Amino acid sequence: AAEVAWARLAAGHREEAVETAGRLCTEGRTGPGVTVRATLVRARAATEAGDTGTARKLLARALLEARRDRLRRPFLDAGPGIRRLLDTPPLHGLAAGWLYGDGPGADSPPLLVEELSGREREVLGRLAQMMSTQEIAADLYVSVNTVKTHLKSIYRKLGVGRRGDAVRRARERGLL
Protein backbone atom coordinates (compact mmCIF):
# COMPACT_ATOMS: atom_id res chain seq x y z
CA ALA A 1 0.00 0.00 0.00
CA ALA A 2 2.89 2.40 0.72
CA GLU A 3 4.21 1.54 -2.73
CA VAL A 4 1.04 3.07 -4.21
CA ALA A 5 1.79 6.33 -2.39
CA TRP A 6 5.40 6.27 -3.66
CA ALA A 7 4.19 5.62 -7.20
CA ARG A 8 1.75 8.53 -7.03
CA LEU A 9 4.50 10.80 -5.73
CA ALA A 10 6.89 9.68 -8.49
CA ALA A 11 4.16 10.36 -11.07
CA GLY A 12 3.87 13.93 -9.83
CA HIS A 13 0.57 13.46 -7.97
CA ARG A 14 1.80 14.88 -4.67
CA GLU A 15 -1.62 15.52 -3.10
CA GLU A 16 -2.89 12.01 -3.89
CA ALA A 17 0.34 10.51 -2.55
CA VAL A 18 0.08 12.47 0.71
CA GLU A 19 -3.59 11.50 1.07
CA THR A 20 -2.81 7.80 0.52
CA ALA A 21 0.13 7.92 2.94
CA GLY A 22 -1.94 9.79 5.52
CA ARG A 23 -4.63 7.09 5.43
CA LEU A 24 -1.98 4.40 5.97
CA CYS A 25 -0.59 6.23 9.00
CA THR A 26 -3.99 6.70 10.67
CA GLU A 27 -5.50 3.28 10.01
CA GLY A 28 -3.56 1.67 12.85
CA ARG A 29 -3.78 -1.80 11.31
CA THR A 30 -0.41 -1.52 9.64
CA GLY A 31 2.99 -2.47 10.99
CA PRO A 32 5.96 -0.17 11.44
CA GLY A 33 7.36 -0.96 7.99
CA VAL A 34 4.27 0.46 6.29
CA THR A 35 3.87 3.45 8.60
CA VAL A 36 7.57 4.38 8.26
CA ARG A 37 7.34 4.21 4.46
CA ALA A 38 4.09 6.19 4.43
CA THR A 39 5.61 8.85 6.71
CA LEU A 40 8.64 9.07 4.42
CA VAL A 41 6.31 9.63 1.44
CA ARG A 42 4.75 12.54 3.30
CA ALA A 43 8.20 13.89 4.27
CA ARG A 44 9.46 13.71 0.70
CA ALA A 45 6.31 15.39 -0.60
CA ALA A 46 6.83 18.18 1.94
CA THR A 47 10.45 18.52 0.84
CA GLU A 48 9.41 18.75 -2.81
CA ALA A 49 6.85 21.41 -1.85
CA GLY A 50 9.58 23.42 -0.11
CA ASP A 51 8.18 22.83 3.40
CA THR A 52 11.39 21.73 5.12
CA GLY A 53 9.98 22.22 8.63
CA THR A 54 7.16 19.75 8.07
CA ALA A 55 9.54 17.38 6.31
CA ARG A 56 11.88 17.39 9.32
CA LYS A 57 9.02 16.71 11.75
CA LEU A 58 7.77 13.82 9.65
CA LEU A 59 11.28 12.47 9.23
CA ALA A 60 11.84 12.58 13.00
CA ARG A 61 8.59 10.64 13.47
CA ALA A 62 9.72 8.05 10.91
CA LEU A 63 13.13 7.72 12.60
CA LEU A 64 11.57 7.15 16.01
CA GLU A 65 9.15 4.57 14.60
CA ALA A 66 11.87 2.78 12.60
CA ARG A 67 14.42 2.78 15.42
CA ARG A 68 12.61 0.12 17.48
CA ASP A 69 12.82 -2.43 14.68
CA ARG A 70 15.99 -1.01 13.10
CA LEU A 71 14.26 -0.48 9.75
CA ARG A 72 16.96 0.91 7.47
CA ARG A 73 15.78 0.08 3.97
CA PRO A 74 12.94 2.63 3.79
CA PHE A 75 15.48 5.43 4.36
CA LEU A 76 17.77 4.07 1.66
CA ASP A 77 14.85 3.99 -0.77
CA ALA A 78 13.55 7.46 0.14
CA GLY A 79 15.92 9.34 -2.16
CA PRO A 80 18.77 11.83 -1.83
CA GLY A 81 16.61 14.72 -0.58
CA ILE A 82 15.59 12.73 2.48
CA ARG A 83 19.16 11.51 3.03
CA ARG A 84 20.40 15.12 2.96
CA LEU A 85 17.85 16.04 5.64
CA LEU A 86 19.05 13.09 7.74
CA ASP A 87 22.48 14.70 7.88
CA THR A 88 21.14 17.80 9.64
CA PRO A 89 20.82 18.22 13.41
CA PRO A 90 18.86 16.99 15.33
CA LEU A 91 17.86 14.32 12.79
CA HIS A 92 21.42 13.04 12.53
CA GLY A 93 21.38 12.47 16.29
CA LEU A 94 18.19 10.41 16.02
CA ALA A 95 19.76 8.28 13.29
CA ALA A 96 23.24 7.87 14.80
CA GLY A 97 24.12 4.49 16.18
CA TRP A 98 21.50 2.45 14.32
CA LEU A 99 20.77 3.92 10.88
CA TYR A 100 24.32 5.05 10.19
CA GLY A 101 27.39 2.90 10.15
CA ASP A 102 29.11 5.25 12.59
CA GLY A 103 28.17 5.96 16.16
CA PRO A 104 27.65 9.30 17.84
CA GLY A 105 30.71 11.51 17.80
CA ALA A 106 32.46 9.74 14.95
CA ASP A 107 34.60 12.00 12.78
CA SER A 108 33.94 10.28 9.49
CA PRO A 109 31.01 11.18 7.25
CA PRO A 110 27.80 9.23 7.81
CA LEU A 111 27.23 6.03 5.91
CA LEU A 112 23.90 4.38 5.55
CA VAL A 113 24.46 0.75 6.31
CA GLU A 114 24.08 -1.46 3.28
CA GLU A 115 26.50 -4.25 2.55
CA LEU A 116 28.45 -4.40 -0.68
CA SER A 117 27.82 -7.54 -2.71
CA GLY A 118 30.70 -9.90 -3.42
CA ARG A 119 31.01 -8.64 -6.98
CA GLU A 120 30.95 -5.01 -5.79
CA ARG A 121 33.82 -5.83 -3.43
CA GLU A 122 35.76 -7.34 -6.34
CA VAL A 123 35.19 -4.19 -8.41
CA LEU A 124 36.16 -2.01 -5.45
CA GLY A 125 39.39 -3.96 -4.98
CA ARG A 126 40.34 -3.39 -8.60
CA LEU A 127 39.36 0.25 -8.27
CA ALA A 128 41.86 0.54 -5.43
CA GLN A 129 44.51 -0.86 -7.80
CA MET A 130 43.83 2.14 -10.09
CA MET A 131 42.43 -0.05 -12.86
CA SER A 132 40.28 1.63 -15.51
CA THR A 133 36.68 0.63 -16.08
CA GLN A 134 37.74 -1.25 -19.21
CA GLU A 135 40.52 -3.07 -17.34
CA ILE A 136 38.15 -4.07 -14.55
CA ALA A 137 35.64 -5.37 -17.11
CA ALA A 138 38.30 -7.44 -18.88
CA ASP A 139 39.69 -8.78 -15.60
CA LEU A 140 36.24 -9.86 -14.35
CA TYR A 141 35.00 -11.09 -17.75
CA VAL A 142 32.00 -8.72 -17.74
CA SER A 143 30.93 -5.82 -19.92
CA VAL A 144 31.99 -2.23 -19.30
CA ASN A 145 28.33 -1.38 -18.66
CA THR A 146 28.16 -4.03 -15.93
CA VAL A 147 31.21 -2.50 -14.25
CA LYS A 148 29.62 0.95 -14.50
CA THR A 149 26.47 -0.39 -12.85
CA HIS A 150 28.53 -1.88 -10.02
CA LEU A 151 30.45 1.40 -9.62
CA LYS A 152 27.22 3.37 -9.40
CA SER A 153 25.93 1.02 -6.70
CA ILE A 154 29.24 1.20 -4.80
CA TYR A 155 29.19 5.00 -4.87
CA ARG A 156 25.60 5.05 -3.61
CA LYS A 157 26.28 2.58 -0.81
CA LEU A 158 29.42 4.42 0.30
CA GLY A 159 27.83 7.84 -0.07
CA VAL A 160 30.45 9.18 -2.49
CA GLY A 161 30.54 10.47 -6.04
CA ARG A 162 34.04 9.69 -7.31
CA ARG A 163 36.49 6.79 -7.56
CA GLY A 164 39.09 8.23 -5.22
CA ASP A 165 36.46 9.01 -2.59
CA ALA A 166 35.09 5.46 -2.87
CA VAL A 167 38.53 3.95 -2.24
CA ARG A 168 39.20 6.35 0.63
CA ARG A 169 35.82 5.66 2.26
CA ALA A 170 36.24 1.91 1.79
CA ARG A 171 39.62 2.04 3.52
CA GLU A 172 38.12 4.09 6.38
CA ARG A 173 35.43 1.43 6.82
CA GLY A 174 37.85 -1.49 6.63
CA LEU A 175 36.43 -2.78 3.37
CA LEU A 176 39.86 -2.81 1.67
Side-chain angles (χ1 to χ4, degrees):
E3 291 78 19
V4 172
W6 277 116
R8 288 182 175 153
L9 186 62
H13 304 292
R14 188 180 310 135
E15 290 177 15
E16 292 176 25
V18 170
E19 184 181 312
T20 302
R23 276 196 311 270
L24 289 171
C25 289
T26 58
E27 284 178 357
R29 295 186 311 250
T30 58
V34 173
T35 56
V36 167
R37 282 182 174 82
T39 304
L40 288 172
V41 167
R42 294 169 62 204
R44 185 163 165 189
T47 301
E48 290 176 4
D51 188 353
T52 308
T54 298
R56 286 176 197 256
K57 288 177 188 172
L58 289 165
L59 196 48
R61 188 178 307 155
L63 284 166
L64 292 171
E65 178 80 18
R67 176 184 241 157
R68 286 190 299 259
D69 296 310
R70 298 205 178 282
L71 300 174
R72 294 182 177 108
R73 189 77 208 188
F75 296 93
L76 290 168
D77 295 338
I82 294 295
R83 289 196 293 271
R84 277 191 296 276
L85 277 178
L86 286 171
D87 289 339
T88 61
L91 295 174
H92 184 74
L94 288 174
W98 70 274
L99 181 60
Y100 290 116
D102 55 354
D107 291 332
S108 59
L111 169 69
L112 286 169
V113 177
E114 187 174 0
E115 293 294 318
L116 295 176
S117 70
R119 193 55 128 180
E120 289 166 348
R121 286 179 179 267
E122 290 176 2
V123 170
L124 184 62
R126 285 157 178 81
L127 200 62
Q129 298 170 17
M130 303 300 291
M131 293 175 76
S132 71
T133 304
Q134 292 78 10
E135 290 169 331
I136 294 171
D139 199 41
L140 295 177
Y141 300 102
V142 297
S143 74
V144 170
N145 283 338
T146 299
V147 173
K148 288 179 180 179
T149 299
H150 287 307
L151 288 172
K152 186 176 175 184
S153 180
I154 290 167
Y155 296 165
R156 178 182 55 80
K157 290 178 181 181
L158 293 177
V160 298
R162 298 188 322 226
R163 289 171 168 247
D165 294 337
V167 171
R168 193 175 313 99
R169 180 73 50 86
R171 286 191 174 125
E172 289 171 1
R173 304 292 180 201
L175 299 172
L176 288 174

